[in-house]
Amino acid sequence: MLRRTGRPAPTGIVIEPHTLARTAIVTLLERELAGWTFIDMTSTADLDRALGMDIRLITLDLAGRSVSSSSMRADLAAISERYHDAPIALLSDTDDSSIATQALQMGIRGFFTTSLPIEIALAGLRLVLAGGVFCPHPLRAVADGSAPQTEAAQFMRLRTDDMSHADFTPREADVLAELQCGSSNKVIAGKLNLSGHTVKMHLQHIMRKLQVQNRTEVVARLSGRGSPRNSPAAP
């Protein structure tokens, strides 16, 4: 079903075959991403309904399939053909790290499992919207080949185009998303209900992790335009 805000807005597509899950996801996203338009679909057969819209995010349910299945590959091909630049967030009912590995290798920008706490999932989604790649920490081996860590997924994993990695707390992911939108420190503080001092602290941590010196370079790194080799680590 198409939900419009009555004005031009970023648009998200939710592809989910199950009515209850689809409705719950759309309701949650409408609450968290105020001002967005959402189109929910049962399959990629309905993708043409969103042609001409400003598609900023596509969520797709793995629906018990393997990532390498012919139907999954066909879905990804259909999405890429119509909305090549839109990041894809994949929902899976399994924490299998091999599935996550395959998904990220195929260009999926976010791998979300049904076992994730809602606050972690939302922070991961914001990181995807900010230009990062999300995978919960128990699946850290997906990113760097190391053994999985604790089951408490408390950090986000960002991978930029130069294949460097950095970890972010959920709150830092929130700040990253606001930075990507061009928000000032004051606006970020108001939106996230933080003090100005706390926002500055998060920014310092983010700059240190990305090895850049200012907020402009942060956004450049998220977009893959900057490199830590060109900027010394921020103090």
Side-chain angles (χ1 to χ4, degrees), residues 1 17 22 32 50 61 88 124 128 150 152 169 172 183 191 203:
M1 179 171 58
R22 186 171 66 252
E32 294 298 321
D61 191 350
I88 299 174
V128 170
T150 65
T169 66
E172 288 169 354
S183 300
K191 283 188 175 182
L203 284 173

Side-chain angles (χ1 to χ4, degrees), residues 4-233:
R4 296 184 182 276
T5 61
R7 56 189 172 85
T11 300
I13 295 175
V14 176
I15 305 172
E16 165 60 60
H18 303 100
T19 302
L20 180 59
R22 186 171 66 252
T23 302
I25 292 171
V26 170
T27 299
L28 177 64
L29 293 178
E30 286 179 333
R31 186 189 72 189
E32 294 298 321
L33 300 175
W36 280 56
T37 293
F38 286 97
I39 304 173
D40 56 279
M41 309 174 179
T42 59
S43 73
T44 54
D46 296 326
L47 281 172
D48 287 348
R49 289 171 49 202
L51 289 177
M53 297 182 180
D54 184 14
I55 305 300
R56 302 284 187 87
L57 173 70
I58 297 174
T59 66
L60 175 65
D61 191 350
L62 190 56
R65 300 172 292 179
S66 73
V67 178
S68 59
S69 67
S70 59
S71 64
M72 183 64 184
R73 290 183 179 277
D75 281 351
L76 294 178
I79 292 171
S80 178
E81 179 182 354
R82 294 165 177 81
Y83 313 108
H84 178 72
D85 295 328
I88 299 174
L90 187 66
L91 179 63
S92 172
D93 60 1
T94 176
D95 294 320
D96 190 336
S97 61
S98 66
I99 294 178
T101 300
Q102 287 181 287
L104 297 190
Q105 289 174 342
M106 293 172 69
I108 300 296
R109 289 274 296 279
F111 185 81
F112 297 82
T113 68
T114 53
S115 63
L116 280 175
I118 188 64
E119 66 274 11
I120 300 299
L122 289 173
L125 183 63
R126 294 185 186 102
L127 186 59
V128 170
L129 292 175
V133 174
F134 170 78
C135 184
H137 239 306
L139 304 175
R140 184 168 183 170
V142 168
D144 58 18
S146 66
Q149 298 188 355
T150 65
E151 291 186 354
Q154 294 300 321
F155 291 85
M156 310 299 107
R157 172 130 296 223
L158 170 69
R159 182 173 64 194
T160 53
D161 289 345
D162 64 3
M163 298 304 291
S164 64
H165 301 84
D167 289 330
F168 298 100
T169 66
R171 199 42 124 183
E172 288 169 354
D174 291 342
V175 173
L176 276 169
E178 293 299 329
L179 281 177
Q180 189 77 344
C181 293
S183 300
S184 66
N185 285 12
K186 183 176 181 180
V187 170
I188 295 174
K191 283 188 175 182
L192 302 181
N193 195 28
L194 300 173
S195 69
H197 172 76
T198 301
V199 171
K200 290 181 180 179
M201 179 187 68
H202 286 313
L203 284 173
Q204 289 175 351
H205 293 168
I206 289 168
M207 288 188 289
R208 183 175 68 249
K209 291 174 180 180
L210 289 178
Q211 301 179 38
V212 299
Q213 293 181 303
N214 56 56
R215 57 193 295 137
T216 301
E217 291 179 352
V218 169
V219 176
R221 288 279 285 125
L222 290 173
S223 303
R225 297 192 301 270
S227 169
R229 292 185 294 274
N230 298 328
S231 302

